Amino acid sequence: MSDVTPPPAPTPPPAAPYAPAAAGPKTNTLAIVSLVLAFFVSLGAVICGHIALSQIKKTGENGRGLAIAGLVLGYLGLVAGLIGVIAWIGFFAIAASSGGITFAP
């Protein structure tokens, strides 16, 4: 017998560095807009939030939680604004009736 070494085993091809992302349902844009608007324009957040929930229900997109968060913050902003306006009017009504503020020149 002769000293013959067998050939080396073939090397497998290199693995892909990462798997491609699965294309799932996208996030509803109006849900994102609703959440962002909740910090600036409460009425816009409420309107966009309701429209987003309606679209999500029809299309099955993601973003229901974002839309609900935008709605909750939007309604809280509206209530806070309404309380602020009532307090502002009350302050001036009390100040004017007590003689602390005169509006005549």
Side-chain angles (χ1 to χ4, degrees), residues 28-46:
N28 186 283
T29 306
L30 280 178
I32 299 169
V33 170
S34 173
L35 184 60
V36 171
L37 280 179
F39 296 103
F40 303 105
V41 184
S42 297
L43 183 59
V46 169

Side-chain angles (χ1 to χ4, degrees), residues 5 10 12 19 28-29 38 56 63 70 94:
T5 57
N28 186 283
T29 306
I56 290 168
I94 292 171

Side-chain angles (χ1 to χ4, degrees), residues 36-103:
V36 171
L37 280 179
F39 296 103
F40 303 105
V41 184
S42 297
L43 183 59
V46 169
I47 293 170
C48 287
H50 280 292
I51 295 171
L53 283 178
S54 173
Q55 289 179 353
I56 290 168
K57 192 176 190 181
K58 291 177 187 174
T59 62
E61 292 176 314
N62 290 332
R64 186 172 190 276
L66 295 174
I68 291 173
L71 280 171
V72 169
L73 292 174
Y75 278 121
L76 286 175
L78 286 176
V79 169
L82 185 62
I83 290 172
V85 167
I86 291 171
W88 186 260
I89 292 171
F91 169 76
F92 280 110
I94 292 171
S97 68
S98 67
I101 297 177
T102 56
F103 292 107

